[in-house]
């Protein structure tokens, strides 16, 4: 007789249907009003709650509300979405990376960077990423799940509060920019990302009152989603992660290129520029002996010449175990001048937060290194739950 032993689950997976709790940040002001009225409160409480969430200093009590109503309404519309479990600073405190834990144990990161003239938050739009770019740490683990609009907004609200409170050197300030360059592919989580952006743009008390041009959506080049974004009538900044001017190489660096090749991605980008009047950023992670030749720089220059665009060179941040490295300073200089020869604007991005694994492409790697439990199983192909 033999006994059958069932394998114990080695990892904990959040139930598929589990959703973050409802939060005011997921809702339009009309929806907040409806929710407030449904819970038996006067409609004007919606404004008070919104102002409290978007505008009040951290830790301030909601004193406008009668004490007996406070607890219920907070549980109902302002539940905690993200809990900060680790903060690390670099660059003399002007760069701060926060590791957040969501309701289901999912871990994500955001990075706040203060400059003399602005403050930028790099936000995550998904836990993990399904795009599988081989040089990016997040791409190695696959997609865990989409973040809700509220979970995206909450990263931004926390950064805006930190700036107002003067938590970064330089005194109280304002969060001026948000870049969707943290974990995830924002256009693969389109509806929630757009809802989150609308909350950032909405004037106080219903949102953060940010300017559209201060918000950058960075994409691998999901062409139908770029076209959809073009029609939104928002002057957001679009960044396209090109990384190679030719399909042969781009197929390997950005695998989704086999679906939407360079030509189609750039056509969609130029349409975006035409319709919105906004200069499109072309992201180019420079990888030694992979995509940094003068020939490729020339090719890139020819593709971009005469367009409303700007190239952002990102020196590769090697991820743990990666066979790739950043280009030599000499190769980088030659690449930049060769592109410039075509009259194309090009700059090299400064790499903030490298020593705290806060720089581009390193976020997921550091999340894994910092945490052991609970282990969230990473699944490659979780369908979008729109
Ligand atoms: N999914 C979005 C956002 C990704 S992160 C996108 O692909 O655009 C923002 C930028 O950092 C992208 O251009 C991405 O390709 C780049 N990046 C990722 N890993 C990197 C690394 N290890 N070194 C340099 N840049 C990297």
């Amino acid at each position: 007789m033999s006994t059958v032993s069932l394998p114990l689950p080695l990892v904990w997976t959040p139930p598929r249907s589990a959703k973050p709790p409802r939060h005011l940040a997921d809702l339009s002001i009309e929806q907040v009003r409806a929710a407030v009225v449904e819970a038996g409160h006067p409609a004007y409480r919606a404004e008070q709650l919104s102002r409290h969430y978007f505008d009040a200093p951290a830790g301030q009590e909601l004193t406008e509300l009668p004490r007996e109503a406070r607890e219920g309404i907070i549980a109902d519309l302002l539940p905690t979405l993200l809990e900060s479990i680790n903060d690390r600073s670099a660059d003399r405190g002007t760069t701060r990376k926060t590791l957040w834990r969501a309701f289901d144990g999912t871990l994500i990161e955001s990075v706040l960077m203060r400059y003399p003239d602005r403050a930028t938050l790099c936000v995550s739009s998904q836990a993990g990423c399904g795009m599988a770019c081989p040089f990016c740490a997040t791409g190695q683990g696959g997609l865990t799940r989409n973040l809700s609009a509220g979970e995206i907004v909450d990263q931004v609200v926390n950064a805006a509060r930190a700036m107002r409170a003067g938590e970064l050197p330089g005194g109280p300030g304002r969060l001026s920019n948000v870049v969707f360059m943290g974990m995830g592919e924002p256009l693969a989580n389109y509806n929630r990302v757009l809802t989150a952006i609308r909350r950032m743009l909405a004037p106080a008390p219903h949102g953060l009152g940010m300017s559209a041009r201060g918000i950058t959506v960075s994409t691998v080049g999901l062409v139908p989603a770029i076209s959809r974004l073009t029609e939104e009538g928002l002057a957001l900044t679009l960044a396209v992660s090109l990384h190679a001017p030719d399909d042969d190489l781009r197929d390997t660096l950005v695998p989704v290129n086999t679906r939407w090749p360079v030509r189609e991605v750039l056509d969609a980008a130029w349409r975006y520029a035409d319709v919105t009047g906004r200069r499109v950023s072309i992201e180019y992670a420079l990888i030694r002996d992979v995509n940094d030749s003068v020939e490729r720089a020339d090719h890139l220059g020819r593709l971009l010449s005469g367009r409303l665009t700007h190239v952002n060179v990102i020196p590769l941040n090697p991820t743990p175990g990666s066979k790739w490295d950043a280009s030599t300073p000499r190769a980088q200089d030659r690449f930049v001048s060769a592109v410039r020869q075509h009259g194309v604007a090009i700059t090299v991005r400064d790499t903030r937060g490298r020593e705290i694994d806060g720089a581009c492409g390193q976020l997921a790697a550091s999340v894994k290194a910092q945490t052991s439990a609970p282990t969230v199983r990473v699944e490659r192909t979780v369908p979008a739950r729109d």
Side-chain angles (χ1 to χ4, degrees):
M1 220 179 91
S2 64
T3 50
V4 178
S5 63
L6 291 172
L8 284 170
L10 292 174
V11 289
W12 175 78
T13 320
R16 269 292 178 82
S17 59
K19 281 190 172 166
R22 176 176 74 164
H23 191 282
L24 172 152
D26 292 297
L27 309 174
S28 67
I29 187 62
E30 292 76 23
Q31 292 168 318
V32 179
R33 277 194 203 108
V36 162
V37 170
E38 196 181 309
H41 305 285
Y44 64 80
R45 296 272 182 247
E47 266 72 23
Q48 291 173 328
L49 281 174
S50 293
R51 190 176 305 281
H52 177 75
Y53 179 62
F54 288 112
D55 232 10
Q60 194 182 70
E61 294 253 334
L62 234 181
T63 43
E64 296 103 321
L65 259 70
R67 190 177 295 277
E68 58 285 4
R70 227 177 280 166
E71 229 170 80
I73 213 163
I74 286 178
D76 201 15
L77 283 162
L78 294 174
T80 300
L81 290 177
L82 299 176
E83 189 193 345
S84 155
I85 59 172
N86 190 325
D87 267 341
R88 290 173 78 193
S89 292
D91 307 313
R92 300 194 172 149
T94 56
T95 301
R96 186 169 86 178
K97 184 181 73 166
T98 305
L99 177 64
W100 302 103
R101 182 164 50 209
F103 81 106
D104 58 352
T106 296
L107 298 167
I108 56 158
E109 287 182 322
S110 48
V111 185
L112 178 58
M113 292 158 282
R114 184 168 197 174
Y115 301 89
D117 59 334
R118 65 187 195 282
T120 300
L121 183 73
C122 180
V123 286
S124 297
S125 57
Q126 299 181 310
C129 185
M131 297 298 129
C133 302
F135 56 90
C136 171
T138 312
Q140 306 319 295
L143 177 68
T144 302
R145 70 166 170 88
N146 282 322
L147 299 188
S148 67
E151 288 170 325
I152 297 168
V153 172
D154 212 42
Q155 296 170 61
V156 183
V157 166
N158 277 292
R161 283 182 190 153
M163 285 303 298
R164 283 200 300 266
E167 288 176 20
L168 268 61
R174 196 176 66 84
L175 179 72
S176 53
N177 297 74
V178 169
V179 296
F180 280 87
M181 294 188 183
M183 299 163 75
E185 166 52 41
L187 295 188
N189 187 16
Y190 190 95
N191 290 341
R192 296 179 187 90
V193 164
L194 262 286
T195 300
I197 289 174
R198 290 188 197 288
R199 290 295 99 68
M200 296 175 211
L201 297 178
H206 308 314
L208 285 163
M210 298 186 72
S211 114
R213 53 191 53 217
I215 299 175
T216 299
V217 175
S218 179
T219 177
V220 286
L222 305 183
V223 167
I226 296 175
S227 305
R228 201 173 156 195
L229 193 66
T230 307
E231 307 307 324
E232 297 282 353
L234 300 171
L236 302 167
T237 301
L238 176 69
V240 172
S241 297
L242 200 65
H243 307 319
D246 54 302
D247 287 322
D248 276 352
L249 180 58
R250 193 165 191 269
D251 281 350
T252 68
L253 295 179
V254 185
V256 78
N257 192 68
T258 54
R259 180 91 181 270
W260 293 291
V262 172
R263 165 78 15 242
E264 289 182 33
V265 171
L266 289 182
D267 281 350
W270 306 147
R271 239 198 107 239
Y272 186 86
D274 283 348
V275 171
T276 62
R278 300 288 299 143
R279 188 168 80 160
V280 173
S281 289
I282 299 293
E283 308 292 297
Y284 201 102
L286 210 55
I287 314 175
R288 183 190 295 182
D289 299 332
V290 173
N291 64 354
D292 63 353
S293 68
V294 168
E295 291 72 31
R296 283 211 161 82
D298 250 339
H299 189 174
L300 183 66
R302 286 197 303 276
L303 287 178
L304 306 188
S305 172
R307 301 292 186 172
L308 190 58
T309 188
H310 174 272
V311 180
N312 245 317
V313 170
I314 318 169
L316 184 84
N317 287 310
T319 56
S322 159
K323 56 182 181 201
W324 287 322
D325 207 345
S327 298
T328 62
R330 204 159 152 248
Q332 180 174 300
D333 288 348
R334 278 199 304 227
F335 187 91
V336 168
S337 339
V339 172
R340 217 168 256 153
Q341 291 273 311
H342 294 265
V344 174
I346 177 167
T347 47
V348 177
R349 163 141 2 128
D350 89 315
T351 49
R352 284 265 192 132
R354 276 203 169 194
E355 68 273 32
I356 52 167
D357 298 331
C360 310
Q362 295 183 340
L363 294 186
S366 59
V367 167
K368 282 187 194 121
Q370 279 178 38
T371 54
S372 42
T375 314
V376 176
R377 188 169 69 205
V378 167
E379 293 173 2
R380 280 218 160 251
T381 51
V382 179
R385 280 190 271 128
D386 270 311

